[in-house]
Amino acid sequence: MVAPLDRVKILFQASNPQFQKYTGSWTGAAKAIRVIWFQDGPLGLFRGHSATMLRIFPYAGIKFLAYEQIRAHLITQREHENALRRFAAGSLAGMFSVFFTYPLEVIRVRLAFETKHEGRSSLTSIVRKIYYEHPSAPSSTSSVRIDTSTASRATYSTIASATSVIRQTATPKGGVSNFFRGFTATLWGMLPYAGSSFLAHDTMSDFLRLPHLAPFTTIPGTELPDHNKPARLKYWAELSTGGVAGFVSQTVSYPLEVIRRRMQVGAVVGDGHRLRMGEVAARIWMEKGWRGFFVGLGIGYVKVVPMVATSFFVYERAKWYLGI
């Protein structure tokens, strides 16, 4: 449903040079979609979607399974249910899912980031390309001169030379580690994203089941008191709870999402130097200030709100039909 919007959001977040001029306005997303459509046709809006489909099955399955299991251990009785426990269960579930699916996320982003017309990467070729990428090497020791004019300068230059050797030796040479670029930022971002998503969904669900609202929002005869299961929400109410969850989670986690997108395409943009979270954040601040951390947020809302709403709706309905 939202793959075209997702591709435009990635192009905005990762500062693709061809699409920077469209950021900063509400009409920019529509213009970017039109450009992709005329250049690459409708299939251009689905670049990276194959990797998305490969990733979403284990990601969503693990996330919802982990949430139900962790929630059952953290909230053993109704009186134990509170915002903190709900948030913790959601955050841990999100982190579990990321651990198992992050390389597919990097592949998806890199496929969606490409805008070239000839020699486009396939799923297998982008995997090989990421695997064999080498970060820019630090300066060699030959460029560091040992200054022996004074004892203090000799000490300082010797330390600098030793540090250069250590950095050159410790610098990753590519391989599997390339599939985990931005992993730390993703884990940090998953804490507020998944936690606030499940918290907002469950809180809104409780609100719509209040006695004076329940006749309008719930399906009669679907409650199971013996199994501590409340009545099922009507389709529009369930979609509303998911939409609120998507809005809240996207808002609180967006700056970290921008940082991890920039880290994931680090080998394509700039000199290829592998930057840490703090360095990426500093670079975004110097380039655009605080607004740089919210580039593409408008299209993020347009994409995430219906995506999360659909996700929770399908999940809750599937549990009902499967008797879970």
Side-chain angles (χ1 to χ4, degrees):
M1 288 181 62
V2 297
L5 294 172
D6 191 36
R7 191 190 176 200
V8 173
K9 189 180 76 164
I10 289 173
L11 292 170
F12 284 4
Q13 289 177 330
S15 297
N16 186 289
Q18 297 183 34
F19 288 85
Q20 278 298 286
K21 57 187 175 183
Y22 302 118
T23 63
S25 68
W26 287 99
T27 59
K31 293 177 181 177
I33 290 175
R34 188 164 60 247
V35 169
I36 296 172
W37 181 284
F38 284 124
Q39 288 182 349
D40 305 322
L43 292 180
L45 295 171
F46 291 87
R47 287 285 298 165
H49 192 55
S50 56
T52 298
M53 298 303 292
L54 287 174
R55 167 186 170 270
I56 201 63
F57 284 105
Y59 173 80
I62 294 170
K63 181 180 71 173
F64 283 116
L65 170 64
Y67 178 70
E68 296 287 359
Q69 299 302 313
I70 295 170
R71 191 179 189 278
H73 283 84
L74 292 180
I75 307 173
T76 56
Q77 300 178 22
R78 183 67 179 176
E79 53 268 22
H80 293 163
E81 190 157 1
N82 54 44
L84 180 60
R85 291 174 186 264
R86 284 176 170 175
F87 184 88
S91 297
L92 290 172
M95 292 177 67
F96 267 109
S97 59
V98 166
F99 270 120
F100 291 99
T101 61
Y102 189 75
L104 288 169
E105 167 71 2
V106 174
I107 296 169
R108 177 180 76 96
V109 171
R110 288 290 295 273
L111 282 170
F113 184 77
E114 281 194 355
T115 55
K116 59 185 180 181
H117 296 281
E118 297 180 358
R120 289 177 178 169
S121 301
S122 64
L123 182 60
T124 54
S125 65
I126 202 72
V127 169
R128 287 195 298 268
K129 185 181 295 185
I130 295 172
Y131 183 85
Y132 289 109
E133 281 173 352
H134 294 272
S136 56
S139 302
S140 63
T141 55
S142 60
S143 63
V144 181
R145 185 174 63 87
I146 305 298
D147 187 349
T148 58
S149 58
T150 65
S152 60
R153 290 180 179 178
T155 302
Y156 175 80
S157 57
T158 301
I159 293 174
S161 178
T163 303
S164 177
V165 173
I166 293 172
R167 285 178 177 172
Q168 189 170 8
T169 304
T171 299
K173 304 303 183 196
V176 177
S177 63
N178 286 340
F179 292 94
F180 289 88
R181 284 179 172 173
F183 183 65
T184 303
T186 301
L187 281 183
W188 281 108
M190 190 55 65
L191 290 173
Y193 179 81
S196 60
S197 178
F198 280 105
L199 172 60
H201 174 266
D202 290 355
T203 302
M204 275 296 298
S205 297
D206 288 347
F207 174 76
L208 292 178
R209 289 188 175 98
L210 290 175
H212 61 283
L213 294 177
F216 308 100
T217 60
T218 60
I219 302 174
T222 56
E223 61 273 1
L224 297 173
D226 295 341
H227 295 80
N228 197 28
K229 291 185 180 296
R232 301 286 180 179
L233 293 173
K234 293 181 179 179
Y235 76 92
W236 65 266
E238 188 61 65
L239 287 171
S240 298
T241 61
V244 171
F247 181 86
V248 172
S249 59
Q250 182 75 347
T251 303
V252 301
S253 65
Y254 199 78
L256 283 166
E257 185 177 347
V258 173
I259 292 173
R260 74 183 173 98
R261 293 291 191 225
R262 291 285 290 269
M263 294 176 74
Q264 287 169 342
V265 300
V268 185
V269 180
D271 58 5
H273 177 59
R274 186 174 295 174
L275 300 176
R276 293 186 292 269
M277 276 184 62
E279 293 173 318
V280 174
R283 180 170 292 187
I284 294 173
W285 181 270
M286 287 188 295
E287 290 175 356
K288 298 182 179 180
W290 66 269
R291 290 182 175 85
F293 294 98
F294 295 92
V295 171
L297 180 58
I299 194 172
Y301 285 139
V302 175
K303 175 232 171 182
V304 169
V305 170
M307 182 188 74
V308 177
T310 304
S311 178
F312 274 111
F313 173 78
V314 173
Y315 176 64
E316 293 294 340
R317 280 294 190 270
K319 286 201 301 180
W320 183 15
Y321 297 149
L322 294 172
I324 301 175

